[in-house]
Amino acid sequence: SQTIHQWPATLVQPVGSPLSLECTVEGTSNPNLYWYRQAAGRGLQLLFYSVGIGQISSEVPQNLSASRPQDRQFILSSKKLLLSDSGFYLCAWRERGGTGANVLTFGAGSRLTVL
Amino acid sequence: AQRVTQPEKLLSVFKGAPVELKCNYSYSGSPELFWYVQYSRQRLQLLLRHISRESIKGFTADLNKGETSFHLKKPFAQEEDSAMYYCALSGRAGSGGYQKVTFGTGTKLQVIP
C-alpha cells in the first residue's frame, strides 16, 4: 500500500533562518507531487507541483522553493524565512492513472512557526 | 483559470437536521469535482468524487454543470460529521497534461448535539 511521510511535524524557526521540509512517498512510482499551504480562511493554496525528477512548477511567487531529487522525494525549502511563511504545509501525491487517478493523498502536514 | 468558491466559512446545524455545504466552480473544460474532509487531528482525506456517484457516510454530491455547482448534502447530520470540508476541482493545466487541483477555502461544519 502507498504511504506518504512528512517531517518534521512541527518546526519553530527565527526570521532569516533556512528551511527544509521533506516529503517522501512509498509504494508507488512516478507520482505527481504537490506542496500546499493551509491557512485559516484561505483554504489550501497550491505552492508547487512536480511531474517528475527535477521538474518543478511554481504556482505563486514567494519566498519558498521546491526540489525533487528522487522520484518519491519532494523538498520544500527557503534560504531566509519571513514571518509570513508561518503556516501548515501539506504534501500530497497523485496517481497518474487507474481508479485513483486525480485523487490526492495527503501527508500529516508540517506546522511551521516563524518568530 | 480554475476557481472554487465555498461561500460559508462556518455552518452550524443541529443533530438530525439536513446539511448542505455549498460549492461553486469556474472552469472552461470538463472538470472533475471532489469533496475532501479533515476531522480533528486527522489528515485531509477524500470524502467523495463526482464520477463515482456514490454516497459516503450518508453524504452525496451532484455535479450541476448548468449552475456550475457541486453541493454536498446529507439528510440527517450526525455529531461525528463535525469537521472541515473542502471542495476541490481537478482540471488540465498547461500543455503537458498536468492535473491542477484547486481547493476552496473550506467550510467548517459544526453539528450541535
Side-chain angles (χ1 to χ4, degrees), chain A residues 41-74:
Chain A
R42 299 188 61 185
L44 273 72
Q45 181 186 29
L46 178 61
L47 303 176
F48 300 95
Y49 64 90
S50 172
V51 297
I53 295 174
Q55 300 178 64
I56 309 295
S57 295
S58 173
E59 278 294 305
V60 293
Q62 58 210 320
N63 186 44
L64 302 169
S65 62
S67 62
R68 187 168 175 176
Q70 300 181 46
D71 181 45
R72 289 170 284 181
Q73 185 183 29
F74 204 24

Side-chain angles (χ1 to χ4, degrees), chain A residues 39-44, chain B residues 4-9 84-87 103-108:
Chain A
R42 299 188 61 185
L44 273 72
Chain B
V4 177
T5 303
Q6 293 180 250
E8 305 141 327
K9 289 185 178 181
M84 194 74 177
Y85 291 81
Y86 292 93
C87 183
F103 286 79
T105 51
T107 298
K108 184 175 181 179

Side-chain angles (χ1 to χ4, degrees), chain B residues 63-84:
Chain B
L63 178 60
N64 186 323
K65 291 187 178 181
E67 296 183 356
T68 59
S69 67
F70 188 56
H71 303 326
L72 184 67
K73 300 178 182 179
K74 184 170 182 176
F76 308 104
Q78 303 298 315
E79 289 181 63
E80 56 265 29
D81 296 329
S82 295
M84 194 74 177

